[in-house]
Amino acid sequence: MTMTTEPRTAPVVRLDGREKVTGVGRYAADMTLTGLLHGRFRFADIGHARIKRIDTTRAKALPGVVAVITEADVPDVQYGLFIKDRRLFAKGVVRWEGEVVAAVAALTPEIAKRAVELIEIDYEPLPVITDIEAALAPGAPLIHENWESYWQDEKLVRSGNEASRSTIVKGDTAAALASADLVVKGRYVAAGSQAAPIEPRAILAEWRSDRVQIWSSTQVPFAARSLVSETLGLPENKIRVTVPHLGGGFGAKCEGHFEPQVAALARAARRPVKVVFSRRDEFLAPDHRREGMIVEVESGVMRDGTIVARRAQVLTENGAYSADEPLITILAAIFSTGPYNVPNVDITGRCAYTNTQPSGSVRAPGAPQAAWALEQHMDEIAKALDMDPVDLRRKNLLRNGDLSPTSQVMSEIRAVETLDKAAELIGWGQPLPDDEGIGIACAWWPSFPMATSAFVKINVDGSPTIITGAQECGTGAVMTLPILAGEILGIDPSEFSLVYQDTESGPWDGGAGGSQTLFNNGRAVADAAMDVRRQLLKLAADELEAAEDDIELADGRARVKGSPDRFVTIAALADKTQGTQLLVGKGSGEVPPTPASDTSACTGRLGAESFAAPTFGTHAVRVKVDRDTGVVRVLKVVAAHDSGYIVNKVGAAGQVTGGVVMGLGQALTEGTQISGEGRVRNAHLLDYKLQTMADVPDISVWFTDTAVSDAGPKGSKGVGEPPCIPTPGAVANAIAAATGARVRELPATPGRIWSALREGQA
Amino acid sequence: MKYSATLRVNGFSYPVTIEPQRTLLSVLRDDLELTGSKEGCDDSECGACMVLLDGEPVNSCSYLALQTLGREITTVEGLSTNGDLSPLQKAFLEAGGVQCGFCTPGMLISATALLARNPRPDDEEIKASLSGNLCRCTGYTPILAAVRSAVEMTAG
Ligand code: FES
Ligand code: FES
């Protein structure tokens, strides 16, 4: 990696780092408890069927089996974010192969496995639909026969297999298309893909009288608690969800996930239970995979490259049940126009039930595929106009004062800078060998303001502690939160201790998703640190006989500005507070405002009306393609991002390189393959190929690193999700540049590239 | 049928009584409760379970525990001495080579074996040696930087 700007502060070592490199850090699967039983789920193992009979007699009779439960053993509650269309255990019908039908608790994992196999289920097969367009076709068999009876969000528009339908309308697209010099059309089809954290999930539950303690590998302990509360009918304060170290999530561990089933199993067994997913389970069962998507887009352009109108239809794959996909479809619809100034926009987003794993947020949900489609379309426009792709983008990129598709006025954005920097660093326009090409792609992504809180306390000896409900999933909250508090209190970040990822210790937080921890919880921690700072300054002013304004906090001391010898240590001040008022600060901070927008002509909106503190980025990718085999070698990636002020350079750069490599995998080697019967064909890492270190090229990371207003702490914006968005589009454009052949399917496998070359299409 | 045997792990001898089909990973994690080695796939695909066997890196999920008799096993727990981190462990922390940390034990084991074999590997050698260890967080770039910097620390 080339860091083109130097870190401004000394790099901060992760507070959890030492545990992680020495192997003593505990992840959920590493935990054990007295009396622990081993749980296992029985999955449907069929794409779509009516359940005629479930018989658990033989499983229950197996020695060592302590409990077997099905839907009959839990409250009959339907849940779901926008549509309450599912239950903890299948009832009557199974709609995808990974649906949980029953659960077993036994003395050993081996006995649990055998017991699961002894559960007898008789199915009457029902028609399986795995194709998005087939699901939406008139007369298609219904995946949820009783769809009309389900509770739904009142703003949601849906019908039958169409789980949501929404539009974004601005201006008069039909007229603008009619008067454009040229109309360019394209259709792009992206396969679904997987978050694939290296840690398969694990959950433990232990009842203590009428309270349950759950340890879960979740990104969102508070949402997990809410789901247990909703489905098992317990008040939230009787449920404690604690996350040991979390081995990555990337969205797949967002929302509640299996915590209620494990809690119900432990209650039935009257003993603690642990369920650990196999890699195969991790591929099949979580209701959060990245959705498959079909984007059809047409743009009206003028000879000089001005885009005057864009019409698009975005079809997304909801899967068998509805998680947050209806909202993701709305995001994907916005991204199908890209970060460009398009005055007339008419986009429809439709989300289709299929008999496949439910889709849901995976790192920048909805964005990479939509951007992959649109950025290829941009290059196809450039080609039709005989215009340089960078020039076309520069002409149309959003600038301050421009309007977004929902008529949000852009301010303090630096999209064009990221484009120019990426073009410069990749050497855009340089002569290349015949088999090489450079592709470029732009993207944007919102930050997500939300409420949260934190405490900061100074212990008797002056040592500082942050108490927060925030969650770390590898992304670096353990670094940014102490950096922010440390600056305010004049204490080295490494001296902080952190109480986090536990619903009973810290206030509510949205969790490790939406790139929101620094953005929101950072604000709360800084606010709490300011509270303590005020207390310290007051004490120090008394002690040093100076005005509060004249005192600064640095190096663990309060000292009089300009007279460093007049100081008192924070430890001494903390000691003084014993017996009076302790040094405890609390904070929330003011949630940044959401910009105004105009969605009066739009329908079916569930949110994302405008983008608070939007981030922008451009990736440029250089590839080499073997024309005989279709094999792509990525030689170089430049990732230029406008993420506002960068609080932790090493951490932020690591988010970018991680996002880029995830994007390379999505572009080239990943992609879930599903048979017509709804069975995943590549539910293991040999066939679902993640990028390895040997695949990875040199990656240059560049940030605008400029503070913006109405954003996160110090003018920062979200960092974690955006870096995976532009990569697949830039790779696709690079392949087309190298070969003249365009692959309109994702991933661009060697077979697809080879076929595109044979067809000579471009 | 269970067998009694003695495993040598991180310089200690551990008596175990195990069935012959037990993997080294499951005995390390469940019997010895050395949970530093992780299970990411159980199928020799991810490298999270990697340990050293007489200095050679192996995926312990695909190795029978009884095959290791008389051989010296090193897990991630054995990489630091008297609480001092190895140069690789330090370099991983400083270069941002650890995010979620789930791949870290296997990565460190892999890199330790590489540096023992070749104290001055070039980038291509590092990449090839660590390509059996999947990481979903870092994009590998900071891990490569970490190994480079450990080489500088140790090879002088
Ligand atoms: S757990 Fe052994 S290689 Fe994945
Ligand atoms: S640090 Fe998370 S998998 Fe490598």
Side-chain angles (χ1 to χ4, degrees), chain A residues 198, chain B residues 97-104 134-138:
Chain A
I198 305 301
Chain B
V98 180
Q99 286 186 22
C100 81
F102 204 76
C103 70
T104 307
L134 295 177
C135 174
R136 192 57 153 169
C137 296
T138 63

Side-chain angles (χ1 to χ4, degrees), chain A residues 663-684:
Chain A
L664 293 177
Q666 195 187 0
L668 295 169
T669 57
E670 299 185 28
T672 289
Q673 300 156 16
I674 300 174
S675 77
E677 289 77 50
R679 311 306 298 265
V680 172
R681 289 206 182 103
N682 55 345
H684 49 89

Side-chain angles (χ1 to χ4, degrees), chain A residues 253 288 312 346 355 369 507 531 545 575 640 671:
Chain A
K253 294 172 183 167
H288 267 241
D346 182 356
N355 292 115
Q369 310 95 302
D531 190 359
E545 294 173 355
D575 191 48

Side-chain angles (χ1 to χ4, degrees), chain A residues 124-158:
Chain A
E124 174 193 322
L126 293 169
V128 174
I129 308 180
T130 57
D131 181 83
I132 302 174
E133 286 166 310
L136 293 173
L142 287 173
I143 289 170
H144 290 266
E145 278 174 357
N146 301 323
W147 65 272
E148 275 173 297
S149 69
Y150 299 160
W151 175 94
Q152 67 160 79
D153 185 296
E154 58 185 15
K155 297 192 286 292
L156 186 71
V157 178
R158 68 188 178 113

